[in-house]
Amino acid sequence: MTVSSPPRVLTVAGSDSGGGAGIQADLKTMLALGVHGMSVIAAVTAQNSVGVQGYWELPPEAVRAQLGSVLGDIGVQAVKTGMLASPVLVETVSEVLAGVGAPVVVDPVGVSKHGDALLAPEAVETVKARLLPVATVVTPNLWEVSQLTGVKVESEADLRKAADAILELGPAWALIKGGHLPGAPTDLLTDGTREFRFTAERHDNRHTHGTGCTLASAIASHLALGEDVPSAVEKAKEYVTGAIARGFPLGGGIGPVDHAWRWRG
């Protein structure tokens, strides 16, 4: 019997010791969607359901070595980036990914679900100048849009303005996540010419830790499986909406979305 290898997706992000977000959420998402997940750890967090108690960056040479190990031997069909913490790590990762011929999904992580900073203020300009230009898709939430562009999104009517401001920074596509606006959660995807809106049911569930990581990893997974960007986003949105609906309590704070919701039935 000949066994074929599944598509390969690499996440470059931070570790979440509580297992709800970061590298752990990325790898769970990739497994659930049928791809082989690989990881480059850029930072380690001490984190649980009530917040981030601390984080420690890995040395840039350690991040570069991990990238070299995976890319030089195994290869990738898509890449997702998350928490990169500092200017030097953003520069290191951006330099390597600029030479990778696979789609790159950038989740420009600035803060945790609990409001804890995960990106040094001085790294914002590096993200704008170095990382976003290598991105196939950038997936900011409304706070990250403001951090990166200064644009304030106060209603669904502002989503396109926000997307255009993100596109000016160099990515091929911008996906503006409108889940924090009133009404049905609506995300806007555009490459500057084509525009798509994705709406889902709003679930009354506070256990949503890892939503952003999960969505970006799901997009990368579907790109690796051969979908184009709009189709990958549509399928990723469907997956993360189901995961939010089945999010479960964990510890004394905000629990995670359920990456295995399709298996649990």
Side-chain angles (χ1 to χ4, degrees):
M1 181 179 68
T2 301
V3 177
S4 59
S5 301
R8 294 144 290 155
V9 183
L10 174 65
T11 171
V12 186
S15 169
D16 173 359
S17 55
I23 291 280
Q24 287 81 353
D26 297 339
L27 294 176
K28 292 173 189 177
T29 299
M30 292 169 191
L31 178 63
L33 296 178
V35 301
H36 175 68
M38 304 168 290
S39 62
V40 168
I41 298 177
V44 175
T45 71
Q47 185 172 173
N48 54 29
S49 70
V50 297
V52 178
Q53 290 75 49
Y55 75 79
W56 298 264
E57 305 161 25
L58 266 69
E61 56 268 26
V63 173
R64 187 181 295 275
Q66 292 175 81
L67 285 163
S69 292
V70 174
L71 297 173
D73 173 49
I74 302 170
V76 297
Q77 286 154 295
V79 180
K80 177 261 180 183
T81 70
M83 176 189 179
L84 297 180
S86 70
V88 66
L89 291 184
V90 174
E91 289 178 0
T92 299
V93 172
S94 301
E95 179 184 339
V96 173
L97 295 186
V100 173
V104 176
V105 180
V106 172
D107 180 12
V109 175
V111 297
S112 74
K113 174 69 68 176
H114 306 87
D116 303 294
L118 297 177
L119 181 70
E122 62 270 21
V124 174
E125 290 302 318
T126 314
V127 169
K128 293 164 62 174
R130 298 294 302 275
L131 184 60
L132 297 194
V134 307
T136 307
V137 190
V138 180
T139 65
N141 61 29
L142 303 186
W143 188 90
E144 291 157 352
V145 166
S146 178
Q147 182 186 47
L148 293 168
T149 69
V151 172
K152 305 290 186 183
V153 178
E154 297 178 345
S155 71
E156 188 177 334
D158 297 326
L159 292 176
R160 181 56 191 259
K161 177 176 66 175
D164 288 340
I166 290 290
L167 289 175
E168 288 180 5
L169 300 174
W173 292 83
L175 176 67
I176 310 301
K177 299 179 293 192
H180 292 292
L181 294 173
T186 299
D187 302 338
L188 183 143
L189 173 72
T190 183
D191 62 356
T193 302
R194 293 169 288 173
E195 179 180 306
F196 305 85
R197 291 178 186 253
F198 304 94
T199 302
E201 179 184 358
R202 184 176 295 280
H203 296 286
D204 184 18
N205 186 356
R206 67 188 291 262
H207 301 300
T208 57
H209 186 49
T211 303
C213 305
T214 299
L215 178 65
S217 293
I219 294 170
S221 297
H222 283 297
L223 290 173
L225 288 163
E227 301 289 348
D228 62 14
V229 170
S231 295
V233 171
E234 180 179 24
K235 292 186 175 185
K237 175 85 170 177
E238 177 187 0
Y239 170 73
V240 78
T241 300
I244 291 170
R246 295 291 296 271
F248 53 87
L250 200 67
I254 300 173
V257 301
D258 186 0
H259 298 94
W261 67 274
R262 285 177 172 161
W263 299 343
R264 300 189 209 281

